[in-house]
Amino acid sequence: MASGGTNYRNGTQRNSLKGTTTATDRQLSMNSNPSKAALKNKSLSSVGASSGLRKSSPGSLGGGTAKDDAGVPGRVRVAVRLRPRNAEESVADADFADCVELQPEFKRLKLRKNNWDTDTYEFDDVLTESASQKRVYEVVAKPVVESVLDGYNGTVMAYGQTGTGKTYTLGRLGEEDTADRGIIVRAMEDILADVSLESDSVSVSYLQLYMESLQDLLDPTNDNISIVEDPKSGDVSLPGATLVEIRDQQSFLELLQLGEAHRYAANTRLNTESSRSHALLMVHVKRSVKGRELAHSSQNGNSTNMAKSFRPTLVRKGKLVVVDLAGSERIDKSGSEGHTLEEAKSINLSLSALGKCINALAENSAHVPVRDSKLTRLLRDSFGGTARTSLVITIGPSPRHRGETTSTIMFGQRAMKVENMLKLKEEFDYKSLARKLDIQLDKLIMEHERKQKAFEEEIERITTDTQNQISEAERNYADAMEKERLKYQKDYMESIKKLEEKWMMNQLKLGERKDQMASTAEEVAELKKLLSKETSLRKATEEEVNNLKSQLAQLKMSEASANSEILKLRKMLEDEAYRKEKLEGEISMLQTQLLQLSFEADETRRRLDRGGPGKVPGGLDSLISQVRPQVNDSVSEEKASIANLFEQVGLQKILSLLEAEDADVRIHAVKVVANLAAEESNQQKIVEAGGLTSLLLLLGSSEDETIHRVAAGAIANLAMNETNQELIMSEGGIRLLSITAANAEDPQTLRMVAGAIANLCGNDKLQNKLRGEGGIKALLGMVKCGHPDVLAQVARGIANFAKCESRASAQGSKTGRSLLIEDGALPWIVQNASNDASPIRRHIELAVCHLAQHEVNARDMITGGALWELVRISQDCSREDIRTLAHRTLTSSPTFLAELRRLRIDY
């Protein structure tokens, strides 16, 4: 951080980040627009901001926190930054002027609608293409960082079309040139320079919002973090996110590099490293403020002295949120497809939800749709909340993207109408107070233990004296008791003697009575035995009778059930025979209709291949009607026929014809399935109905070249879905495709097989299994065909495989040499790096760059001659993104640089 003062737009000057409270309040109050009436916007957190600023009371410990109920109004500040033309735009737009004209001295921007008409927009700051990273930081982020250090929440966010420099503005690390450092690195430098690590703390969380899933970039296994909202204050927290304390700038840079390695990126037409997720860096700053004496008044002198001995410390908690939004893009311009298309849809939906919230806040709407997206829930404090927010919108000069530039500018204009209510975040440091109380408690415990010991000694002395007195009394009592015992013992012996005499007399009388009772007891016992025996016999007889009755009833029920079951079975057999006869008739009709439809489709393709107009018959009107010929020269009639067949006949019946005994029926059925698989909306239905399994079985069992070609094409279409790719691999699809490639001679069949394997090569999870089942060998084996279409698909597959390996190496999940090099693909890659065909050359150049990114491949690439091709690509490639990727790979590899120095080549 520079030691000198910096001039800001509001006219104030700060010599350091440790400004006084007065300076902070003055800067925060100047964020509102003085030339317009204050907009009464509804907060994203749905918490109304009351007027007035209530100072925290130094003596109010009972409240728990010393936080303001009201805040300072502050409008969202918006700056616009223009990216310079890149090499592609310099060539493609050489004859056209830029679509924007900047007037930084007036903080205005002119957007050209055509050659004679322009629209003018005003912003808080306008940054030209020559503006330095330092200038951008001081204009956009530095005031927000100062507010965070003073105890406020702050947000810095970049918004714009993909490829306009958002990540460059925010996240540039400046490893090669410190002047290129972005806002994130510079902000942390200022924060660490201003805080005291002894009493203050700085902690960081790094997250990404990918496909509406909040993931932890510092812990990739934590990929579903929940968002928790305080029902009272509306504050948003992420309890499941990793929080790392920062002690120095180097550890922070290493943390950023770790997070960036886990971010999702993809290669599109507009950007080779296009971010596919929104990144959020959260910096929590906790600072201690000098404690203030508690103003407790008490008549007790000890209580007053104790209150003065503890000075509660105030802690200010500021949070800085830096948001790198994924770029908005149009699908027709970016060329996204497959999974990349789904990513683009998710990005555009979340940005659309953010735009709706900004519109609602700007128009003071009664309802703000904050819950439409996780992005708007995370940013609810940044727009219309309590944070100081600064937005930089990035645009490009190309007139081809005038529509995207206009949308970005209008987003910034609406954001400037949003006002936040800034609130100071401070609370008492109860932990420090608790430590002081613990020390005082320890002293009191020691004093108590000393007094307790003296008390116990006094008790022991008194106890000894008392025991001596008790012993003397016990001896006197024992003597008296002994005399009394002897007296009572004598009386007792006399009484016992009299009782014994009486007992003897009673015993004689009792003996006579016992003899009489003994004879009576024997008779009673004999009667009891007889009665018990009779009772047992009766119970056994009753149980046997009940069992026989139960068995008889069960036999009758079984007989009735058997008769009913026989009647049902007879009826089922009759129904089954009728259905079988009906199904055989339907199958016969379907085969006839399918043969006619396939014949019409083949006739249409032949006429189109010859280039002449043809008449295409229409589809099926119903299952039992005949095919009616219709005159139409459009290919859409054939698709309509197949759609009609799909709706009327049903997918399950069509798939059943793949197993027909007639070869012609199988050929026509697989063509219909292939046409259905070309439509993305039908693919999931085909897989769920078992169509993918049937195609793989047909590919392995049939020897017909036409079936091989069409089935491979259908599998290639289904292999564009990641879930289907895993299913293909699990059912041995690579082995079947490899066998088909080895036996095929038709270039079109090889092209379909190569396309299917190329799609599978783009799945990170299937790399080892694909190579183990011969997928790479099969691709390399098809190059002997020499057909350009086949070679283009082979090159695409190798490029996809190399890209997945490069990503796995960067994430640390793969070590060792590339599987492509081990399977001998490098000589063919080097040989075709300069191929005349543009599709082949572009894929090969990408494959060379991705292979070179893994340092362990460098020595093999030097030996195989790939280093020279990498140098050529970095200098002569027609695409700027590939040239940049090749140049960055060369300069980041110690092995390549050492080899160039050895050969005395100055690069």
Side-chain angles (χ1 to χ4, degrees), residues 374-407:
K374 287 187 178 180
L375 177 63
T376 54
R377 291 177 64 192
L378 290 170
L379 298 179
R380 67 184 305 169
D381 193 45
S382 303
F383 292 97
T386 63
R388 181 174 188 175
T389 300
S390 184
L391 170 66
V392 55
I393 59 173
T394 58
I395 59 176
S398 175
R400 290 178 296 161
H401 304 309
R402 182 181 289 107
E404 290 82 349
T405 302
T406 302
S407 176

Side-chain angles (χ1 to χ4, degrees), residues 43-260:
S43 169
L44 279 174
S45 58
S46 299
V47 180
S50 59
S51 61
L53 183 64
R54 180 177 62 82
K55 297 295 184 181
S56 58
S57 174
S60 59
L61 288 174
T65 62
K67 184 167 61 177
D68 293 340
D69 290 336
V72 180
R75 178 177 57 78
V76 174
R77 295 180 59 84
V78 181
V80 59
R81 188 181 193 186
L82 176 64
R83 170 181 59 75
R85 285 194 177 192
N86 54 36
E88 181 183 356
E89 292 173 346
S90 298
V91 176
D93 302 333
D95 297 333
F96 301 95
D98 292 348
C99 67
V100 293
E101 177 186 349
L102 302 185
Q103 294 179 336
E105 63 276 8
F106 301 113
K107 302 189 186 310
R108 290 192 307 212
L109 175 149
K110 289 187 176 182
L111 177 64
R112 289 191 178 91
K113 298 170 65 177
N114 45 48
N115 292 334
W116 56 86
D117 192 9
T118 61
D119 287 334
T120 302
Y121 302 94
E122 292 186 0
F123 290 93
D124 293 308
D125 286 288
V126 175
L127 303 169
T128 65
E129 61 268 30
S130 60
S132 65
Q133 291 282 76
K134 180 180 179 182
R135 168 65 177 162
V136 173
Y137 170 72
E138 291 177 347
V139 168
V140 175
K142 190 170 183 179
V144 178
V145 174
E146 291 174 345
S147 296
V148 171
L149 290 171
D150 286 337
Y152 294 86
N153 288 345
T155 301
V156 178
M157 186 170 73
Y159 178 91
Q161 181 191 10
T162 182
T164 55
K166 297 184 297 301
T167 303
Y168 176 83
T169 300
L170 295 179
R172 189 75 171 184
L173 299 182
E175 296 175 330
E176 299 177 357
D177 185 358
T178 56
D180 288 340
R181 291 169 300 163
I183 286 176
I184 292 177
V185 177
R186 294 177 185 270
M188 184 55 70
E189 289 177 351
D190 283 355
I191 290 173
L192 292 177
D194 194 67
V195 300
S196 172
L197 295 180
E198 296 179 356
S199 60
D200 304 335
S201 67
V202 180
S203 54
V204 168
S205 294
Y206 201 9
L207 314 165
Q208 71 173 350
L209 182 61
Y210 176 72
M211 301 283 284
E212 281 301 301
S213 173
L214 192 57
Q215 304 176 1
D216 196 333
L217 289 174
L218 305 182
D219 182 10
T221 59
N222 189 8
D223 58 358
N224 190 13
I225 300 174
S226 60
I227 302 174
V228 179
E229 301 175 11
D230 191 331
K232 295 182 179 180
S233 64
D235 292 340
V236 176
S237 61
L238 306 172
T242 302
L243 196 63
V244 180
E245 186 171 356
I246 302 299
R247 307 293 296 180
D248 54 68
Q249 185 71 8
Q250 183 59 35
S251 64
F252 176 68
L253 292 176
E254 293 174 357
L255 207 67
L256 284 181
Q257 291 173 343
L258 174 63
E260 286 298 321

Side-chain angles (χ1 to χ4, degrees), residues 762-821:
N763 193 315
D764 296 339
K765 304 175 184 177
L766 307 177
Q767 295 279 294
N768 292 327
K769 187 172 182 180
L770 186 143
R771 185 247 188 166
E773 295 187 6
I776 302 302
K777 293 288 187 182
L779 276 178
L780 296 175
M782 285 185 276
V783 301
K784 63 184 179 181
C785 170
H787 195 281
D789 292 342
V790 178
L791 297 181
Q793 293 299 326
V794 173
R796 183 170 70 87
I798 290 175
N800 287 343
F801 196 93
K803 181 178 179 181
C804 291
E805 282 193 326
S806 174
R807 184 159 53 229
S809 299
Q811 294 175 354
S813 59
K814 183 188 184 308
T815 58
R817 297 169 61 207
S818 168
L819 300 179
L820 290 172
I821 295 178

Side-chain angles (χ1 to χ4, degrees), residues 424-673:
L424 186 65
K425 309 291 183 179
E426 62 180 16
E427 62 184 20
F428 290 114
D429 187 1
Y430 287 115
K431 292 184 179 179
S432 176
L433 184 61
R435 286 195 294 269
K436 293 181 181 179
L437 291 175
D438 286 341
I439 294 173
Q440 184 66 20
L441 180 62
D442 291 339
K443 292 181 180 179
L444 293 174
I445 290 174
M446 292 177 63
E447 179 67 17
H448 172 72
E449 289 178 348
R450 184 184 65 76
K451 292 181 179 180
Q452 182 71 17
K453 185 176 181 182
F455 176 75
E456 290 176 353
E457 290 175 352
E458 180 67 17
I459 292 296
E460 186 177 358
R461 184 187 64 77
I462 295 173
T463 302
T464 303
D465 294 343
T466 304
Q467 286 179 349
N468 293 334
Q469 294 176 4
I470 292 173
S471 298
E472 182 66 22
E474 285 179 348
R475 285 194 298 272
N476 295 334
Y477 177 75
D479 293 340
M481 288 296 294
E482 182 64 22
K483 292 179 182 179
E484 191 72 20
R485 186 184 68 78
L486 292 174
K487 179 182 176 182
Y488 282 116
Q489 186 175 7
K490 182 178 179 181
D491 295 341
Y492 172 74
M493 294 302 295
E494 291 177 355
S495 299
I496 290 297
K497 186 175 180 181
K498 292 179 180 179
L499 290 172
E500 286 179 350
E501 292 176 353
K502 290 181 180 181
W503 182 79
M504 290 299 294
M505 293 177 66
N506 290 331
Q507 284 293 108
L508 293 174
K509 295 179 181 180
L510 185 61
E512 296 176 357
R513 293 179 181 176
K514 283 183 177 180
D515 293 338
Q516 295 176 0
M517 292 177 64
S519 61
T520 305
E522 290 177 357
E523 293 178 0
V524 171
E526 185 68 24
L527 290 173
K528 287 182 178 180
K529 288 180 181 180
L530 292 173
L531 181 60
S532 176
K533 185 175 181 182
E534 288 293 331
T535 303
S536 299
L537 291 173
R538 181 180 176 183
K539 288 183 179 180
T541 304
E542 289 177 351
E543 289 178 357
E544 187 174 357
V545 171
N546 291 334
N547 288 335
L548 291 174
K549 290 180 179 179
S550 176
Q551 291 177 7
L552 181 60
Q554 289 179 358
L555 289 173
K556 291 181 178 179
M557 291 176 62
S558 298
E559 183 180 1
S561 176
N563 292 335
S564 176
E565 190 68 25
I566 289 171
L567 293 175
K568 289 181 180 179
L569 289 174
R570 286 177 180 174
K571 183 172 179 57
M572 288 173 62
L573 287 175
E574 293 174 357
D575 292 344
E576 189 66 27
Y578 174 74
R579 282 198 297 269
K580 180 178 179 183
E581 182 179 354
K582 184 178 179 180
L583 286 174
E584 287 176 353
E586 288 182 358
I587 291 173
S588 176
M589 291 176 64
L590 287 174
Q591 289 176 349
T592 303
Q593 295 170 3
L594 189 60
L595 287 172
Q596 179 66 22
L597 182 60
S598 178
F599 174 78
E600 295 170 1
D602 290 342
E603 184 66 22
T604 300
R605 291 192 185 95
R606 285 195 294 271
R607 290 175 180 174
L608 291 175
D609 291 340
R610 290 196 298 267
K615 295 182 179 180
V616 184
L620 298 174
D621 290 329
S622 65
L623 286 174
I624 60 174
S625 64
Q626 297 297 323
V627 178
R628 295 178 301 180
Q630 298 178 356
V631 180
N632 194 332
D633 58 356
S634 173
V635 180
S636 61
E637 283 295 329
E638 180 185 349
K639 294 183 179 179
S641 300
I642 294 172
N644 248 352
L645 182 65
F646 176 64
E647 293 176 358
Q648 296 177 6
V649 176
L651 180 60
Q652 198 64 45
K653 292 183 179 180
I654 295 175
L655 294 177
S656 65
L657 295 179
L658 295 176
E659 303 175 1
E661 296 180 359
D662 192 338
D664 290 336
V665 173
R666 289 200 304 272
I667 292 174
H668 295 314
V670 76
K671 287 181 179 180
V672 172
V673 174

